Amino acid sequence: AAAAAPAPLSKSDINKIVKAALPTATPVPVAVVSEGPHGTLDIGWEALQPFSVHPRLTKGGVEIGTSVLETLLTVTPDAVFMPKVAKSWSLSADQLVWTFELNEGIQFHGGWGEMTAEDVVYSIQQFGHEESLSSRTPQFRRLWSNPEGGATATGKYTIEVDTGTLQSDMLIQLAAPFAAYLVSKAAVDSLGEEVANVTDIGSGPWELVEHSAAQWTMKYVPDHWRKTPEFAELVFHAIPEEATQLANFQVGRLDTFTMNYDTIPAVQRIPGTKLMKKNDGFSEKLALYGNYYVGHNTVAW
């Protein structure tokens, strides 16, 4: 006799299946507040990189650079550069020397004090170090550590960067959220590179509480110099399967996640759902076109 077809899963069955996908914290009674950061923003990721912040020892990542760390500037989807840690910048008449003026009073997490020009120069030059793991190492070394000039802290909040020769990509390199972020030099000197690398020594609007391969938990920074978050807590969850992310979103255990086009119809059926476009998304390709080869049909070729 033919085997009976399995019965479709009910919503109750789905809830049980996905229950273990995300850890459940013990509820703690809290007072209802009408103002200020409150609640938790749960975000699903396919994977979380190892938490690593030292500019020379990490490959960097958008999830780090847009939460616990900050950059000198940022860029809008319309390719307009906007101030961030740097409140202004200018270029000399010969277009070789950049001058960056920093915002004052920016505090590092963990009580490591105020960010100064020395922290900025240290961070960017570590990105450009010959042993750096950053994908932007050649660019930062060319711009900030070149033998013709390089970067110098000319004041507590002022930096001059002499590129030596004409360069066109200074601002776009400094705006990358996965590179060019800034850390406390004092923290690195005190803790040592290895410990500092896995410690939150940034200045972003979120401060790390704990991290693992499966989850990062962050709390908001009160009265952050740039922008105080609207949520009290930010949690990143590593969930490899998109179907599991979708299931968690459907039952309210995730507030948002990145998805493929095939998932959009299922998400749109959930009342109140809004879709957001990832502004810095891009595609990559390797194209092999016809080429002319010097020495074709010779021994050297």
Side-chain angles (χ1 to χ4, degrees):
L9 291 176
S10 65
K11 185 173 183 179
S12 175
D13 293 328
I14 294 176
N15 287 344
K16 293 178 181 178
I17 293 173
V18 303
K19 186 176 181 180
L22 295 176
T24 303
T26 303
V28 178
V30 295
V32 177
V33 294
S34 58
E35 296 182 356
H38 58 278
T40 300
L41 179 62
D42 290 287
I43 300 179
W45 295 80
E46 181 178 353
L48 291 171
Q49 68 178 90
F51 188 87
S52 175
V53 299
H54 190 286
R56 195 184 76 252
L57 303 179
T58 178
K59 296 180 180 179
V62 174
E63 62 266 35
I64 291 181
T66 55
S67 54
V68 301
L69 300 164
E70 296 182 292
T71 51
L72 276 175
L73 54 138
T74 187
V75 60
T76 71
D78 299 322
V80 177
F81 294 103
M82 302 293 291
K84 207 167 187 179
V85 167
K87 66 180 180 181
S88 65
W89 54 86
S90 58
L91 186 57
S92 62
D94 61 6
Q95 301 186 47
L96 297 180
V97 180
W98 292 82
T99 301
F100 295 91
E101 297 289 343
L102 308 182
N103 282 288
E104 300 179 18
I106 300 176
Q107 298 296 316
F108 284 112
H109 303 159
W112 290 108
E114 183 185 17
M115 182 186 296
T116 67
E118 184 181 11
D119 297 299
V120 175
V121 173
Y122 170 79
S123 298
I124 305 302
Q125 289 189 333
Q126 284 295 300
F127 271 114
H129 192 279
E130 61 182 7
E131 297 179 356
S132 172
L133 300 179
S134 171
S135 61
R136 300 293 180 95
T137 294
Q139 290 90 329
F140 289 125
R141 185 161 59 244
R142 166 170 52 83
L143 294 170
W144 282 61
S145 301
N146 65 82
E148 292 83 8
T152 305
T154 57
K156 189 174 182 179
Y157 307 106
T158 305
I159 302 166
E160 287 189 357
V161 184
D162 186 346
T163 59
T165 58
L166 293 176
Q167 303 290 336
S168 62
D169 59 339
M170 175 70 79
L171 297 183
I172 193 62
Q173 299 299 342
L174 295 177
F178 53 87
Y181 49 69
L182 311 172
V183 299
S184 167
K185 183 178 184 298
V188 176
D189 292 341
S190 177
L191 298 174
E193 292 182 346
E194 296 298 331
V195 174
N197 188 39
V198 293
T199 304
D200 180 358
I201 54 175
S203 62
W206 296 100
E207 186 172 2
L208 184 72
V209 175
E210 58 183 359
H211 65 88
S212 67
Q215 179 175 307
W216 294 1
T217 301
M218 292 157 276
K219 63 181 180 180
Y220 82 99
V221 176
D223 301 318
H224 187 261
W225 75 274
R226 181 169 52 84
K227 170 68 175 177
T228 300
E230 296 181 20
F231 293 88
E233 187 177 51
L234 173 64
V235 183
F236 291 162
H237 304 275
I239 306 176
E241 301 81 13
E242 185 167 331
T244 306
Q245 292 191 50
L246 173 61
N248 278 280
F249 181 76
Q250 289 172 321
V251 299
R253 297 178 64 81
L254 283 181
D255 296 303
T256 185
F257 67 103
T258 56
M259 69 194 72
N260 291 310
Y261 285 110
D262 293 345
T263 303
I264 292 178
V267 168
Q268 288 180 317
R269 288 195 290 269
I270 302 173
T273 298
K274 295 181 180 180
L275 298 178
M276 297 181 294
K277 180 177 70 172
K278 191 176 184 341
N279 289 327
D280 58 347
F282 64 93
S283 63
E284 292 183 338
K285 66 179 180 180
L286 174 63
L288 300 177
Y289 301 103
N291 291 273
Y292 291 101
Y293 294 94
V294 176
H296 182 56
N297 285 334
T298 67
V299 174
W301 179 83

